[in-house]
């Protein structure tokens, strides 16, 4: 397996534009997590899904952020409209809930810059 | 929700010395405690984990200890090497079906 795949790796956008980040979890994993990493706040959990169902979205900063998981192999995190304070590295991670190992595997991350 | 505190935020040691990073957590229902290492510009990767039915776990130069009563756990790295330089994150969760809550990270620098 290629691991968790995120796209794009880098995104530079202007304030007010819509941004969509994409994630393909490891095949067979049934839990998917979106994290945001900044120097000030570290790794913050934004939202997570079990079996494609959102379980906890209390970490989503505000209504400008939304996430979907239409099927077991794909998830998106959308920011609309984007603001400079959204600049961060966004990580997607997946794990096998109920499996022998609950290790969370991270994707390479998307570095978002909003100017 | 779970709150994980991690100390110190930065740590500098000489090559060959030991390094210790400490974390506390707030949710008494947490029972899974992994440690992740993140090198500059890379993704966090699991280096060791421990579950609440175990007090200590060791893997070569790395060991983790857990005190459930006091709600704290620690990472110990012995015989440090320059390639150990990275940011280390502790985390806690209720295991299956729950997300990891991370500490703020410790930037470890090992100088030759």
């Amino acid at each position: 397996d290629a691991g968790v795949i995120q796209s794009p790796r880098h995104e530079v956008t202007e304030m007010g534009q819509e941004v969509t980040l994409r994630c393909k979890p490891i095949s067979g994993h049934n839990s998917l997590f979106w994290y945001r990493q900044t120097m000030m706040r570290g790794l913050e959990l934004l939202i997570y899904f079990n079996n494609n169902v959102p379980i906890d979205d209390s970490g989503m900063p505000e209504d400008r952020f939304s996430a979907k998981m239409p099927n077991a192999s794909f998830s998106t995190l959308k920011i609309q409209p984007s603001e400079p304070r959204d600049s961060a590295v966004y990580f997607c991670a997946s794990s096998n809930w109920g499996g022998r190992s609950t290790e969370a595997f991270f994707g390479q991350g998307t570095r978002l810059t909003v100017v | 929700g779970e709150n994980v505190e991690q100390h110190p935020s930065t740590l500098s040691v000489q090559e060959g010395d030991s390094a210790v990073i400490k974390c506390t957590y707030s949710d008494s229902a947490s029972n899974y405690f992994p440690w992740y290492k993140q090198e500059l510009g890379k993704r966090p990767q699991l280096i060791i984990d421990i579950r609440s039915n175990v007090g200590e776990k060791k893997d070569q130069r790395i060991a983790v200890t857990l005190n459930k009563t006091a709600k704290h756990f620690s990472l110990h790295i012995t015989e440090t090497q320059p390639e150990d330089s990275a940011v280390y994150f502790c985390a806690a969760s209720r295991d299956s079906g729950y997300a990891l809550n991370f500490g703020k990270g410790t930037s470890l620098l090992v100088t030759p």
Side-chain angles (χ1 to χ4, degrees):
Chain A
D1 201 307
V4 178
I5 299 173
Q6 290 186 245
S7 63
R9 291 290 309 279
H10 304 272
E11 176 82 30
V12 180
T13 191
E14 291 186 347
M15 182 173 64
Q17 296 298 306
E18 177 180 296
V19 176
T20 299
L21 311 182
R22 297 173 175 79
C23 176
K24 182 181 188 307
I26 291 173
S27 177
H29 281 189
N30 50 19
S31 292
L32 183 139
F33 314 90
W34 282 100
Y35 287 90
R36 177 171 68 177
Q37 185 174 35
T38 60
M39 287 292 292
M40 291 297 293
R41 302 172 73 90
L43 274 164
E44 299 176 275
L45 176 68
L46 299 177
I47 185 171
Y48 76 99
F49 298 82
N50 281 343
N51 293 319
N52 313 337
V53 177
I55 303 300
D56 183 357
D57 66 354
S58 59
M60 297 285 261
E62 47 199 275
D63 291 345
R64 296 184 299 106
F65 285 69
S66 63
K68 293 182 180 178
M69 191 164 187
N71 57 61
S73 57
F74 184 66
S75 177
T76 59
L77 178 68
K78 186 176 292 186
I79 308 173
Q80 164 64 20
S82 57
E83 296 182 3
R85 61 194 167 118
D86 301 331
S87 297
V89 179
Y90 291 80
F91 284 104
C92 174
S94 70
S95 70
N96 189 12
W97 170 31
R100 291 185 62 186
S101 169
T102 51
E103 177 180 352
F105 293 84
F106 282 76
Q108 295 272 41
T110 294
R111 181 174 294 278
L112 174 65
T113 304
V114 183
V115 297
Chain B
E2 175 67 275
N3 181 42
V4 179
E5 299 279 344
Q6 183 172 347
H7 300 280
S9 56
T10 60
L11 180 59
S12 183
V13 299
Q14 292 271 346
E15 182 177 2
D17 287 350
S18 294
V20 180
I21 303 170
K22 298 182 179 182
C23 290
T24 60
Y25 62 98
S26 61
D27 185 355
S28 56
S30 289
N31 56 12
Y32 176 61
F33 307 93
W35 287 86
Y36 281 75
K37 175 182 179 182
Q38 185 179 28
E39 296 176 348
L40 189 63
K42 304 242 177 113
R43 74 187 87 188
Q45 291 191 291
L46 180 73
I47 55 170
I48 194 168
D49 57 11
I50 192 168
R51 296 180 188 279
S52 59
N53 58 346
V54 175
E56 183 174 357
K57 185 176 178 181
K58 191 172 182 180
D59 182 4
Q60 299 182 349
R61 297 186 296 107
I62 295 172
V64 58
T65 59
L66 171 65
N67 183 327
K68 276 223 80 176
T69 303
K71 295 207 200 75
H72 66 69
F73 56 114
S74 301
L75 177 71
H76 304 252
I77 306 174
T78 58
E79 301 171 27
T80 54
Q81 301 166 2
E83 50 265 39
D84 294 329
S85 298
V87 179
Y88 291 81
F89 292 93
C90 63
S93 83
R94 294 187 181 185
D95 208 349
S96 293
Y98 292 87
L100 293 172
N101 294 281
F102 285 90
K104 289 280 196 309
T106 296
S107 180
L108 173 65
L109 177 65
V110 181
T111 53

